Amino acid sequence: MYDVIVVGSGITGGWAAKEFCEKGFKTLVIERGRNIQHQGPEYTDMQMPWQIENRNKVPEIFSEEGRYSIIERKGYFKNATKQFFIDDKEHPISYPKESPFKWIRGYQLGGRSLTWGRQSLRWGVKDFQANEKDGNGVPWPIGYDDLAPWYAYVEKFIGVSANKDGLDTLPDGVFQKPWEMSCAEKFIAENLKKAYSDRHLIIGRSANITEPTKEQAELGRGQCQARSYCNRGCTFGGYFSSLSATLPAAKKTGNLTVVTDSIVETVDYDDKSGKATGVTVIDAHTKEKRQYRSKIIFLCASALGSVQILLNSKSKTFPNGIANSSGAVGHYIMDHFSGVIANAKVPGFDNKYSIGRRPIATYIPNYRHEQKDDADFIRGFGFQGTAQHRSNTGTTAKKVGIGAEVKMNSNQPGPWRFRAIMYGEMLPRFENYARLHPTEKDQWGIPILHIDARIRENERKMIKRAAIDIKEILSAGGCVDIKINEFPETKPIAVGDRVHEMGGACMGEDPKSSVLNKWAQSHDVKNLFVTDGACMSSCATQNPSLTYMAITARAVDYAAKLFFKGLL
Amino acid sequence: MSKINISRRLFIGASVYFVATPVWASIFNTVNSLSVFSQNGRFFTAKEMTILSDVADIMIPRTDTPGATDAKVIDVLDALMLSWAGSETKQQYKFIIKQIGLIAQSSFKVNYQSASRADRELLLNKLDQLSFVERSTELSKSYRKLKEMIFHIFYTSEEANPNFMLVPGTYKGDITKNKMELYNVKKRVS
């Protein structure tokens, strides 16, 4: 019997483990994927480009066999990183043909904390108010003020390098020294300051440490070395992951047990006591089942992973899945979406250069919390962009031209160019859902998920406006030769593509319409908490991981207090 | 110079799937600036290695900086054929090598290895141009795929990246060329 079971070892599971262990709880972390050693042989960050197997090309047999189909074209899926992503052929999901869903996963100790983008952005006051304001989704039972101290708590531990920008829409936090902007980015930023009061280009806020604290150093973490090899695993511990930070902190307490290669099939529930009693797992290799018992259970299995477990955990009290008296489990599935990519020349600076590989982009925060006259949609969008390096003439690998002269003109510095991609807020809709497939099961006998979540009219209208806005912003920023790629209405946009899938067990005041209360505690089962992306009632525009971590730390604090009072 | 003869039949009609796996005789030839492989590779035969190596060298010659031969591009490619290449790529590369041979024979009345360096350069330049104009033929697709891989191997090589820093230390986005060159010499940004 454990005090706590944490399901999942990713960005929230690691936090739950750390917090509980540090409070003295005997904590079991159950990870469905394999064990990975921090700084171990699966990290490829210390390999030169010519040392990486296959010169970093993924074996073509994957494509021939229909493996890794949803991820094969992604820039981050290379031979040096493929070990950190699952093959969707082995882990199928179901979705309507006309609205494919992308569920990009990493089944290993640390989960997707090994490969995340590290953009660490707080939500603002208005982000938490959006559902109540426009009537979409379930109103958040918490606001910025509830989470602010936990954002600070998390930022201090993980290490966020950022600038204090003084923006209400993107509150400042506890920061280390920010990364530099390039001369081109500074030029745009300065021009935007002159042109707008509400549109800003700022340096991104990155979970890559620039000034290691004593606590970080004691965990074996070092300063980020500007390599941008984060998703190969970082031998320096320069970026935050479960492996580099939270799990080592948990382990130091002596209270942590980790079990890998174990897939949680159900959260087990005692109808008489009204409590969750533990979990049943299936061994990933032998397929044998076993149970673990605990007093408290935290689901941190990723949004859809937790939803799958909840729905599959049926009992007399919960015939539709544990904690699902509301019928809301599996609903309000969201992701950020894009639909606009911009590219513009920044004139001048021909005698300026850059060096090093900055691990974070710049950011234009959402400025459309209040609907403006030119908007026929609600909510808003931000942009992530970069002109970190000058453009390059490239080579003629895919163009006409061979020989000496062509070679000498290759890879020469070109002008500075700024590229930006839109991140839009998808409305929370009940009809965007995930449920258990009625007949299809995975190789462990667990029903696979069927996910039907779509970009709809509001999102399409947002794309149209974002295309106009970014052109105007870049022009005001002093850019020329502005090229906008706006996805046409007919082009499908797969939900899940931004890898920020969330929702499915949303927080809310009313147990009839939500799954979790303001502490991410199940309304129905008091010793069950869900603190990964499933708990999100809306998705705002900011990268969500910092918010997940803050919600987790806060929930653990609450659960621990309840436990010590004998209330769990 | 000989006129390059890439017949319509060759350019449009040849199907990669029609070509049987060739059996190449071992030839030892040091004429015309041609590096000749005397041993089979792991995947390619010695003759194929010889032709491929020459193709790569013409595509990316040594200038004031190393070229494809210096970077041993074809040795690397030969190894990648076993660990990276799928069945289609394997067929395509075998196919394009054979087609280059046929073009040479058709144009120069000698095999590729016996043609002059100037003629071989002419052949490849012509093939390169045509392959990006008419993109749908098997010859075009195979050539472009080979070219892309040769370029990828070269431009990820140590020889092509003398200033590569595994551990820069930090990022600076507003420096002069002199400063950049200083950091490159130090192999560190500090």
Side-chain angles (χ1 to χ4, degrees), chain B residues 123-142:
Chain B
L123 184 161
L124 282 172
N125 270 288
K126 184 75 175 176
L127 182 57
D128 191 71
Q129 284 160 29
L130 279 176
S131 294
F132 287 93
V133 169
E134 179 53 71
R135 299 174 71 94
S136 62
T137 68
E138 288 301 334
L139 183 65
S140 164
K141 287 180 202 171
S142 300

Side-chain angles (χ1 to χ4, degrees), chain A residues 54-55 58 60 64 180 182-183 186 225-227 229 352-355 357 388 396 398-399 401 403 407, chain B residues 59 61 63 65-66 83-84 86-87 89 128 147 152-153 156 164-166 169 171-175 188:
Chain A
N54 292 346
R55 291 293 172 98
V58 170
E60 289 188 324
E64 285 178 358
E180 240 182 69
S182 69
C183 50
K186 283 188 282 194
Q225 297 294 307
R227 305 180 300 152
Y229 286 164
K352 288 297 179 114
Y353 296 83
S354 57
I355 196 163
R357 300 185 289 276
Q388 180 186 152
T396 55
K398 297 183 185 181
K399 294 188 284 195
K407 179 190 171 209
Chain B
M59 285 183 174
T63 51
T65 55
S83 61
W84 158 76
S87 52
T89 295
D128 191 71
K147 180 183 184 184
H152 175 75
I153 295 169
T156 55
F164 178 77
M165 290 185 204
L166 183 64
Y171 163 82
K172 290 191 185 296
D174 189 354
I175 56 174
R188 184 102 177 128

Side-chain angles (χ1 to χ4, degrees), chain B residues 106-123:
Chain B
S106 173
S107 304
F108 313 131
K109 310 306 174 200
V110 293
N111 64 29
Y112 181 86
Q113 301 91 296
S114 301
S116 67
R117 172 82 178 196
D119 278 349
R120 301 196 307 270
E121 286 176 358
L122 195 67
L123 184 161

Side-chain angles (χ1 to χ4, degrees), chain A residues 7 131 199 287 298 322 374 391 413 418 482 495 525 530:
Chain A
V7 179
N131 283 5
R199 299 174 201 201
K287 299 193 173 140
F298 262 58
I322 195 170
D374 57 3
S391 64
F418 186 82
I482 301 169
V495 178
V525 182
V530 184

Side-chain angles (χ1 to χ4, degrees), chain A residues 44-96:
Chain A
T44 55
D45 61 314
M46 297 308 279
Q47 294 175 11
M48 304 286 215
W50 48 90
Q51 293 173 326
I52 300 171
E53 188 189 18
N54 292 346
R55 291 293 172 98
N56 219 9
K57 290 268 197 188
V58 170
E60 289 188 324
I61 197 167
F62 288 173
S63 189
E64 285 178 358
E65 293 178 349
R67 296 167 59 189
Y68 298 94
S69 59
I70 61 166
I71 203 172
E72 62 177 339
R73 284 193 170 58
K74 291 294 184 183
Y76 49 78
F77 184 61
K78 301 283 188 202
N79 212 51
T81 59
K82 69 181 192 297
Q83 65 277 22
F84 298 139
F85 296 98
I86 61 116
D87 178 358
D88 48 282
K89 194 174 180 185
E90 290 182 16
H91 302 276
I93 58 171
S94 164
Y95 43 77

Side-chain angles (χ1 to χ4, degrees), chain A residues 122-131 140 142-146 148 151 167-171 369-370 542:
Chain A
R122 291 191 182 197
W123 281 27
V125 170
K126 293 180 182 180
D127 294 311
F128 289 97
Q129 294 171 341
N131 283 5
W140 278 91
I142 58 172
Y144 174 71
D145 289 343
D146 295 300
Y151 276 136
L167 305 175
D168 290 340
T169 51
L170 194 75
H369 289 90
E370 306 299 335
Q542 294 89 315

